[in-house]
Amino acid sequence: MGYDVQAVIAGDEALRIASRELPGSAVVRLGQGLSMMPMTDELFDAVTDGSGSGHLGFWRLPGGFEALLAQWSAAGPIAYVEAEHFGGVGKQRAAVWADGSLALGPLDEPMKQDLSGAISPVSRALRRLGAQRDVGKDEFESVSLNRHRTNEDWIADAC
């Protein structure tokens, strides 16, 4: 079974305030005080400036959205993450904005089922947002990002 998610992740209150006026936004609670806003087609259209994909190399980050993420980060660090894998092979990409500018990344590396102790890009971003590892888990599992496998499933959880 595959995993395919593109989302903004930040502290719950900050993300709810930032997303309040955005069409197509749904905020879902994760663990450790974090929440995520999956990237929907409607949200993509609402936040893009039409400039195409940015220089950061994400495949679903709307053109110009990084400026809005930087603005939102004045209230606390905020991450944009993408993860796609099937059969143990795939990719993750993540970046974190804080205090109005890009603070981490973009991080990009292929995923394998056994990362041999390496910290994945999404886990590194979550760590920068304050997530802590539970015993025997990485940050990704510790905040329950493995609870659903697609943006559609996350959005259904928000309702």
Side-chain angles (χ1 to χ4, degrees):
M1 183 174 246
Y3 187 92
D4 186 21
V5 170
Q6 306 84 36
V8 176
I9 301 175
D12 182 64
E13 184 178 345
L15 191 55
R16 287 185 190 281
I17 291 169
S19 67
R20 217 177 261 159
E21 303 296 321
L22 293 176
S25 66
V27 177
V28 185
R29 284 187 192 272
L30 299 171
Q32 301 187 22
L34 298 175
S35 286
M36 72 179 288
M37 180 176 58
M39 183 57 65
T40 64
D41 291 340
E42 187 178 5
L43 177 60
F44 186 98
D45 291 343
V47 297
T48 189
D49 66 3
S51 65
S53 60
H55 65 281
L56 298 178
F58 289 94
W59 63 88
R60 184 121 166 97
L61 180 68
F65 190 41
E66 63 268 15
L68 188 55
L69 292 170
Q71 180 184 337
W72 289 350
S73 75
I78 191 163
Y80 180 77
V81 303
E82 296 181 339
E84 176 183 33
H85 64 86
F86 184 81
V89 179
K91 292 191 96 168
Q92 287 188 4
R93 191 163 186 80
V96 177
W97 287 260
D99 300 318
S101 63
L102 186 63
L104 178 67
L107 306 170
D108 186 5
E109 59 189 48
M111 286 177 27
K112 295 182 182 157
Q113 215 156 33
D114 177 16
L115 291 174
S116 302
I119 301 171
S120 73
V122 174
S123 285
R124 287 183 61 195
L126 292 168
R127 186 178 287 182
R128 179 63 174 81
L129 297 179
Q132 296 182 347
R133 297 174 53 169
D134 292 335
V135 175
K137 297 179 179 181
D138 63 5
E139 292 81 359
F140 188 97
E141 292 175 301
S142 296
V143 302
S144 299
L145 263 174
N146 58 338
R147 189 167 73 223
H148 298 296
R149 299 182 130 340
T150 65
N151 279 358
E152 291 78 17
D153 291 341
W154 282 106
I155 292 163
D157 193 15
C159 298

